[in-house]
Amino acid sequence: MKVLKFGGTSVGSAQNINRVISIVEELSSNHQIICVVSAVGGITDQLQQTGQLAQLGDTSYLDILADIEKKHFQLLDELIPVNSYQVKTALEEKLKHLKSLLSGIYLINELSPKTLDKLLSFGEQLSSFIISETLIVRNLDASLKNTQDLILTDENFIKAHVFIRESNENITNYFRSSKHKITILPGFVARSHNGNSTTLGRGGSDYTAALVAAALKSKELEIWTDVSGMYTANPKLVKQAYPIEQINYQEAMELSHFGAKVLYPPSIQPVLELKIPIVIKNTLQPQDKGTYISSNAYQSGQSATGISNIDNIALLTLQGSGMVGIPGFSKRLFEQLALDKINVILITQASSEHSICIAIDQTDIAKAESGINHMFSYEIEQKKLNPVLVENDLAIIALVGSNMKHLQGMSGKMFGALGRNNINIVAIAQGSSEINISAVIDQKDVKKGLNTLHERFFEGNHKQVNLFIAGVGNVGEKLIAQIRQQRKYLKEKLKLNLRIIGVSNSRKMYFNSDGIDPKTWKEGLQNGENASLEGFYDRAVELNLRNSVFVDVTASAAVAQQYEHYLKESIAVVACNKIACSAALENYQKLKNYSLKYNAPFLFETNVGAGLPIIDTLQNLISSGDKIVSIQAVLSGSLNFVFNNFTNETKFHDIVKQAQEQGFTEPDPRIDLSGVDVARKILILARESGLAMNLKDIKNNSFLTDKNNASDTVDDFYRTLLEDEQHFQSLYASAKAKQQQLKYVATLTENEASVGLQEIPVGHPFYNLKGSDNIVMFYTARYPEQPLIVKGAGAGADVTASGLFADIIRIGNN
Ligand code: ADP
Ligand code: ASP
Ligand code: MG
C-alpha cells in the first residue's frame, strides 16, 4: 500500500491532473493506492476571499465565486469531455451549496471560524470529486471517500487538533474493508464530534496524508508537489538552490517550521514515530529523484543542510528592571500568549534577564500587545516594566543542519556574511539542539539574506558579483566586452559569477535582475527607460542584491556625488572618474570613512596610470610599514604623446589636435595641457600617502602662455596655440640644444607636490618613455636609492577598462 498526496499545483489544471493519473495508474499496478488531494491551486485563497467579502456585504464575492465555478466546470469538461448528466449535476449541486453558504454569510454579515472552515472545506471536496470521477470514467478501480468521515478533531476551527486514536481506528477500519485499488481522499478537511466541518491548518493536506500513512503503517509517504524536493532554500527566491537528496526528520521539521512551505510542519510527527520515510517528488518532473526524509542522519558533507525563511514577523520586547530575578515572569508572559492563542515562533532572552524578546506572526500584533500590557499592567504602572515594544516588517531566516553542532564558528560565518552585505540583524536565536541558528532581519532583506547565506554555505566558494555600470562610452563598452570574454574563465577558475544588472548612459538606463546579456546590452539600453542618477541608485538599492558594485565610467561630477549614497548602502564603488578623489579633501575623507564604516570597497586604481597598479602598489608599501620619501612620475599619457611627437617640423597645435582625435586627451584638451589632470593624479597619490592636501596645494608650473590659459572655449584655445607656436618651438629648441627630452613631470616630497614641464637628460628613466606610457618612481625608506618603478601604457580605453576590471575582480575575491 502506498499513500500519495498531490498538492494544489499538481491538481491545478487538466494537464497536471492527467500527470497525477498516470503516476497513480502506474503505481496501482503493484500497490493499493491512497491518494490524498489538495484543492485546485489558489482555490482555498479564493474561498477565503469570497467569505471575507460576503461578510462585509460586498457583492463582488459573486465574481470570485463565478470564477471558482468556471474553473471547476472547465476542469470537468477537459478531463471528461463527454460527461454524464449525473456527474455534472453532482458538481452543480456542490457549487449550489457553496453559493447558499456564501449568501448566508452575506445576509448575516458574519464569518465565524466555524463557518470559515465549512467554506474552506469546499476546495478539497470539489477537487477530490472531479479527480475520482475522472479515474472512474477511465475504467480505473477507484472510489472517493470523504476524509471527514475518518479524521476526527476538536473544534479549534481553522487549525483543529486531531484525535489520533479515534481517527486511526476509523482509517484502519475503513481500509480493512475497502477493496478498491485506488482511493481518493480530500486532504485538509475533517469533522468534529458535533459533526461540524473543521480544517487542519493551511497546507494541511500533507498532514492528512501523514495521518493516513501512520494509521495504516504504510511503508512510505509520498508528497507530490511542484518542485523536485525539499531544496537547500526556497527555489522561488534562491535560483542556485538545489534539492536535498536526503535529510533527517529533525532537519526537515526545523526547515519546515522555519518556512519551507513544501512540507506542512505537523506532517512529520505521525510518521516520525513509526519511522515511515517521506519522499518529496515533483508531479511535473516525476523522473527527478526528489528528497528522502528518514530517521537516518545522512552526512552530506555540507556544514549546513538548508536555509529557510518566515516572512511577516513582529518582534515584541518586554523589558524593565522589574523583570530581573523575579521567578514566574516568563510563565505569566507565555500563559497570556497561550490564552490568546498566539503562536510564538522564536524567543531570545538576554542573560541579564533584563529583557525578553519574542517573534510572532504580524497578524497577531494587536492581540498580543493588548494581552501582554494587560497582564503586566501593575508592573507597567509601577514603572518596573515598559509597555511592550513592537517592531514589525521583519522576517526570520534560519540556517539548519545536524552537522552544525560538530562545527565551530558557524554563527560567526553566518553573521559575518550577513553583515558584509549590510543586512541588519535585529535578534538572534540558537536552539539548544544546535541544529538551527535563526536571525530576525528586515523583511526587505530576506531575498538578499537567503542568497548571501546560500552562497556562503552551499555554493562551494562560488561568488556572485552584481554590477551597475554608469557610462558606457568607449571605456565602458570595452569593460563589458572584457567581462563577456572572461566570464567563463572567472566562473571556472576564480569561481566568480560576474553579472551586469544595470547599465546607463546619460540618456537611457536598462536593468535586468537576472543579468544583462553582455552580447545584447546595447539593444536593451536603446529601448530602456529614461536615465536619471537617482533612478539608477534607487533601482540598485531596491534590487538589494548581494555583492553589488557601482562602476563609474563617466567623467561626471554629478555621478561622483552619488558614491556616498551607494557606500552607505554597502554597495561597493569602482571608479575611473577622478573627480571624487581629487575634489575637496573632506569629500575624499568622507568616502574613505564610509567605505570602512559600511564595509564597502571604494576602488579607483584607474584614476592614476589607467590599468597600471600604481595606487595598489602605494597602498601595499604603506600598509606593509614602508614610508614614502618622494614620488616622481610622468602621469599624463596625453602630454607624453604630445611631447613625444612634437618637433621643429611639426606644429604644436597639430599634435594636440591629433592627440585629441586619437582619444589621448580629455574631451577638453585644456584639462590635460594646463596640467590640471596631472595635478589631480599626484594629489590622489599624495592623499593615498597620507597627506591632507587639496588641489590648490599642488604647485602648477604651467608651460602654456597667458593667452592660452585665458582662452574661454576649446576653439579659442586651439587658436591661441597656433598664434603662440613660437613659444612652443622655443621650449623644444631649448631641450634639443641640451640633447634633452621634454616630459611633463609630477613630483611629491614629504610635504610638497608640483607639476610642470621638465627637460630630462639622457640616462634618466623618463628619457626613453614612449608613446602614451606612464612611469612612477617610488623612493621610500626601503627603496632609498633605486626606486620602485611602475611603468607601462598609462592611457587608452582598453587598459583603463582592464584596470576597472581588475578592481571589480579584487572585490569579488575579497
Ligand atoms: P503544494 O500545493 O504541492 O502543497 P506548496 O506550495 O504548499 O505546494 O509547497 C511547495 C512550494 O514550497 C514550492 O513551490 C516553493 O515555492 C516553496 N518552498 C519554500 N521553501 C522551500 C524549500 N526549501 N524547498 C522546496 N520548496 C520550498
Ligand atoms: N488547500 C489547502 C491550502 O491551500 C490545504 C493544502 O493545500 O494543503 O492551504
Ligand atoms: Mg503544501
Side-chain angles (χ1 to χ4, degrees):
M1 165 184 306
K2 266 186 186 273
V3 179
L4 276 59
K5 176 258 168 176
F6 291 91
T9 313
S10 305
V11 300
S13 65
Q15 191 191 16
N16 287 355
I17 293 178
N18 281 327
R19 289 188 164 118
V20 169
I21 293 174
S22 19
I23 293 165
V24 171
E25 190 177 358
E26 194 184 325
L27 290 173
S28 69
S29 56
N30 295 326
H31 304 270
Q32 187 185 355
I33 301 293
I34 299 169
C35 178
V36 176
V37 296
S38 284
V40 170
I43 292 294
T44 313
D45 284 337
Q46 283 190 311
L47 287 168
Q48 188 151 359
Q49 273 175 334
T50 54
Q52 280 155 353
L53 290 169
Q55 176 197 24
L56 295 171
D58 184 338
T59 50
S60 65
Y61 82 85
L62 288 166
D63 300 336
I64 302 176
L65 176 63
D67 191 49
I68 294 174
E69 288 169 346
K70 192 173 136 212
K71 277 181 187 157
H72 287 94
F73 276 120
Q74 198 171 335
L75 272 183
L76 188 68
D77 287 343
E78 283 174 30
L79 289 165
I80 317 177
V82 207
N83 43 54
S84 70
Y85 174 75
Q86 282 109 311
V87 175
K88 200 154 207 156
T89 320
L91 181 60
E92 274 167 4
E93 206 51 39
K94 286 181 196 297
L95 289 166
K96 224 192 262 169
H97 274 146
L98 170 61
K99 193 170 185 172
S100 56
L101 175 64
L102 282 167
S103 76
I105 297 170
Y106 175 77
L107 287 175
I108 60 167
N109 294 125
E110 198 182 291
L111 178 64
S112 65
K114 178 173 157 188
T115 314
L116 179 61
D117 265 1
K118 193 169 177 62
L119 180 61
L120 296 188
S121 69
F122 275 88
E124 269 69 9
Q125 297 296 359
L126 289 165
S127 63
S128 57
F129 171 74
I130 292 174
I131 293 166
S132 61
E133 287 303 327
T134 309
L135 288 166
I136 293 165
V137 166
R138 295 191 190 174
N139 287 328
L140 290 162
D141 176 18
S143 82
L144 172 67
K145 174 69 188 165
N146 187 356
T147 322
Q148 296 187 299
D149 301 336
L150 304 176
I151 298 183
L152 271 171
T153 68
D154 65 8
E155 292 207 334
N156 188 28
F157 295 105
I158 302 176
K159 199 173 179 180
H161 301 121
V162 174
F163 296 122
I164 299 282
R165 207 176 38 81
E166 283 173 88
S167 305
N168 275 354
E169 253 174 49
N170 292 342
I171 295 168
T172 40
N173 286 342
Y174 175 76
F175 283 100
R176 198 172 295 133
S177 56
S178 164
K179 295 284 169 273
H180 292 286
K181 278 212 124 175
I182 303 167
T183 307
I184 304 291
L185 296 177
F188 181 53
V189 295
R191 194 177 282 145
S192 72
H193 277 292
N194 293 333
N196 291 314
S197 286
T198 58
T199 62
L200 305 181
R202 293 302 306 270
S205 296
D206 297 343
Y207 188 34
T208 309
L211 290 166
V212 175
L216 299 175
K217 301 202 170 46
S218 156
K219 268 178 82 177
E220 213 171 73
L221 165 63
E222 294 185 6
I223 304 281
W224 289 80
T225 180
D226 57 357
V227 287
S228 297
M230 187 170 247
Y231 278 59
T232 44
N234 185 348
K236 301 232 165 84
L237 298 176
V238 179
K239 285 233 169 71
Q240 325 288 340
Y242 50 86
I244 303 166
E245 259 187 50
Q246 295 198 28
I247 181 171
N248 66 37
Y249 291 122
Q250 281 72 22
E251 291 172 318
M253 190 130 63
E254 209 71 38
L255 280 172
S256 64
H257 264 295
F258 278 86
K261 187 186 166 215
V262 64
L263 190 63
Y264 183 52
S267 320
I268 298 172
Q269 198 57 43
V271 292
L272 179 144
E273 280 166 19
L274 297 167
K275 295 206 167 102
I276 299 172
I278 306 175
V279 192
I280 301 187
K281 297 275 288 176
N282 189 348
T283 309
L284 314 177
Q285 274 163 277
Q287 70 286 358
D288 287 358
K289 230 173 156 185
T291 298
Y292 191 78
I293 307 173
S294 69
S295 57
N296 301 330
Y298 170 77
Q299 302 295 326
S300 63
Q302 300 270 28
S303 51
T305 306
I307 316 161
S308 56
N309 60 298
I310 313 182
D311 294 345
N312 305 319
I313 290 293
L315 204 61
L316 306 183
T317 307
L318 196 58
Q319 60 185 348
S321 56
M323 281 182 65
V324 184
I326 300 181
F329 201 92
S330 310
K331 177 173 168 274
R332 282 167 66 203
L333 172 65
F334 290 108
E335 255 171 18
Q336 182 62 42
L337 291 165
L339 208 68
D340 291 334
K341 298 208 170 93
I342 292 168
N343 181 30
V344 176
I345 302 169
L346 169 151
I347 309 166
T348 63
Q349 183 169 27
S351 56
S352 68
E353 295 182 30
H354 191 69
S355 73
I356 186 161
C357 231
I358 52 169
I360 61 168
D361 191 293
Q362 212 152 268
T363 51
D364 289 331
I365 292 179
K367 226 177 358 168
E369 196 177 6
S370 74
I372 297 171
N373 285 342
H374 179 71
M375 164 60 90
F376 294 104
S377 55
Y378 174 76
E379 286 84 351
I380 294 171
E381 211 171 277
Q382 297 289 305
K383 304 241 178 296
K384 287 186 170 172
L385 262 191
N386 305 329
V388 65
L389 178 81
V390 180
E391 292 165 272
N392 50 17
D393 293 329
L394 300 173
I396 297 176
I397 45 178
L399 184 67
V400 170
S402 342
N403 267 351
M404 294 195 333
K405 56 177 167 249
H406 310 298
L407 297 168
Q408 284 182 340
M410 288 297 281
S411 40
K413 279 186 197 163
M414 173 172 172
F415 298 122
L418 294 174
R420 270 193 300 283
N421 276 285
N422 196 27
I423 295 168
N424 183 35
I425 295 158
V426 186
I428 296 171
Q430 179 169 21
S432 57
S433 64
E434 287 186 47
I435 75 164
N436 172 334
I437 310 173
S438 314
V440 180
I441 61 171
D442 287 336
Q443 179 65 54
K444 70 171 175 42
D445 288 332
V446 166
K447 191 167 175 195
K448 189 188 196 179
L450 287 173
N451 280 283
T452 300
L453 294 185
H454 200 268
E455 184 172 273
R456 183 72 187 84
F457 292 101
F458 296 95
E459 291 170 31
N461 296 330
H462 277 84
K463 193 164 175 184
Q464 185 183 85
V465 176
N466 295 299
L467 304 177
F468 294 83
I469 304 175
V472 281
N474 211 357
V475 177
E477 195 170 315
K478 289 256 156 56
L479 173 65
I480 297 177
Q482 289 178 9
I483 291 174
R484 179 181 162 194
Q485 191 205 327
Q486 281 304 94
R487 250 175 157 194
K488 195 158 170 265
Y489 175 88
L490 292 175
K491 242 189 191 156
E492 285 168 7
K493 300 282 186 232
L494 297 185
K495 300 189 171 175
L496 271 187
N497 178 16
L498 284 194
R499 305 193 316 160
I500 302 168
I501 306 297
V503 287
S504 177
N505 57 24
S506 54
R507 281 160 286 112
K508 295 275 183 191
M509 56 186 191
Y510 167 55
F511 304 89
N512 183 344
S513 58
D514 294 329
I516 294 171
D517 183 344
K519 266 186 266 167
T520 56
W521 65 272
K522 280 189 187 163
E523 282 128 72
L525 185 61
Q526 245 165 25
N527 302 320
E529 50 200 284
N530 289 338
S532 90
L533 294 179
E534 292 74 27
F536 200 67
Y537 162 80
D538 287 346
R539 195 66 69 84
V541 174
E542 197 186 299
L543 286 169
N544 204 9
L545 298 168
R546 67 193 185 279
N547 311 321
S548 290
V549 183
F550 174 65
V551 188
D552 178 6
V553 202
T554 73
S556 147
V559 176
Q561 273 172 7
Q562 299 283 319
Y563 300 172
E564 61 173 285
H565 306 307
Y566 283 97
L567 293 172
K568 276 186 186 165
E569 290 293 330
S570 293
I571 297 176
V573 174
V574 168
C576 63
N577 182 349
K578 286 188 266 301
I579 296 176
C581 290
S582 57
L585 179 65
E586 304 79 68
N587 186 55
Y588 162 83
Q589 285 169 336
K590 182 169 72 181
L591 295 176
K592 284 269 176 175
N593 284 339
Y594 282 170
S595 166
L596 278 178
K597 182 170 171 193
Y598 297 101
N599 218 331
F602 172 37
L603 301 181
F604 42 87
E605 180 60 85
T606 45
N607 278 5
V608 183
L612 295 178
I614 295 173
I615 294 178
D616 192 42
T617 305
L618 175 58
Q619 285 173 342
N620 286 340
L621 287 172
I622 293 171
S623 53
S624 66
D626 204 351
K627 193 169 171 338
I628 305 297
V629 178
S630 76
I631 295 175
Q632 286 179 34
V634 174
L635 292 173
S636 170
S638 347
L639 288 173
N640 216 29
F641 177 90
V642 168
F643 288 106
N644 278 345
N645 288 290
F646 176 50
T647 65
N648 51 0
E649 285 160 21
T650 56
K651 279 208 179 92
F652 191 70
H653 164 278
D654 296 350
I655 300 296
V656 175
K657 202 93 244 183
Q658 191 191 340
Q660 186 186 5
E661 278 160 13
Q662 293 187 12
F664 285 117
T665 69
E666 301 277 328
D668 181 346
R670 288 174 298 176
I671 296 177
D672 293 299
L673 289 233
S674 66
V676 168
D677 189 57
V678 177
R680 281 179 181 158
K681 289 174 181 168
I682 197 74
L683 173 66
I684 294 170
L685 295 186
R687 286 175 173 175
E688 286 295 304
S689 314
L691 298 176
M693 279 189 171
N694 271 310
L695 198 59
K696 66 173 172 36
D697 302 321
I698 313 287
K699 199 151 173 260
N700 188 340
N701 305 313
S702 176
F703 66 88
L704 296 176
T705 66
D706 290 347
K707 214 170 12 158
N708 302 149
N709 280 328
S711 60
D712 288 333
T713 63
V714 175
D715 287 345
D716 208 18
F717 178 65
Y718 273 115
R719 194 178 42 73
T720 63
L721 287 186
L722 265 185
E723 287 170 11
D724 288 341
E725 177 64 24
Q726 199 44 49
H727 164 71
F728 299 108
Q729 285 301 337
S730 64
L731 292 176
Y732 176 78
S734 156
K736 177 93 181 160
K738 294 177 216 153
Q739 293 192 331
Q740 297 187 343
Q741 289 265 6
L742 286 174
K743 298 287 170 203
Y744 198 84
V745 177
T747 310
L748 173 72
T749 61
E750 261 172 85
N751 45 22
E752 256 184 26
S754 64
V755 295
L757 198 62
Q758 289 185 12
E759 294 172 340
I760 303 294
V762 187
H764 190 282
F766 292 175
Y767 186 87
N768 279 324
L769 208 59
K770 295 278 178 310
S772 63
D773 283 5
N774 278 198
I775 182 167
V776 182
M777 303 198 294
F778 294 101
Y779 289 92
T780 70
R782 285 187 202 138
Y783 296 92
E785 269 131 43
Q786 286 300 319
L788 171 64
I789 298 181
V790 180
K791 181 181 159 190
D798 257 324
V799 285
T800 308
S802 72
L804 287 167
F805 200 5
D807 274 349
I808 293 167
I809 292 171
R810 208 168 293 159
I811 292 174
N813 284 335
N814 196 344

